[in-house]
Amino acid sequence: MEALAAAIAVGVAALGASFANGKIVSRTIDGISRQPELKGPLQQVMLIGIALVEAIPIFAVVVAFLILFI
């Protein structure tokens, strides 16, 4: 039963992160298309946002391991 809980936790976290990454990238492309001169700063903010969002599934994997082994 713990393995199922761990798999669901990691799967939901990965699904949420993929939706968030898609939204971040689409909004960045929107911003670049409206103001092309801000391409550099917008890409920097996008990469920072993606890095922060990608931390969520990593934490979910840690929690899944804790569920499995503790």
Side-chain angles (χ1 to χ4, degrees), residues 8-26:
I8 290 173
V10 172
V12 169
L15 186 66
S18 66
F19 283 133
N21 281 338
K23 193 166 217 60
I24 289 170
V25 171
S26 72

Side-chain angles (χ1 to χ4, degrees), residues 20-63:
N21 281 338
K23 193 166 217 60
I24 289 170
V25 171
S26 72
R27 296 296 171 108
T28 303
I29 291 173
D30 259 354
I32 291 172
S33 67
R34 291 175 191 220
Q35 294 183 326
E37 67 273 6
L38 293 178
K39 179 181 178 184
L42 287 174
Q43 282 182 338
Q44 288 176 351
V45 172
M46 177 191 72
L47 291 175
I48 292 170
I50 288 175
L52 291 173
V53 168
E54 284 300 320
I56 295 169
I58 294 170
F59 288 139
V61 169
V62 170
V63 169

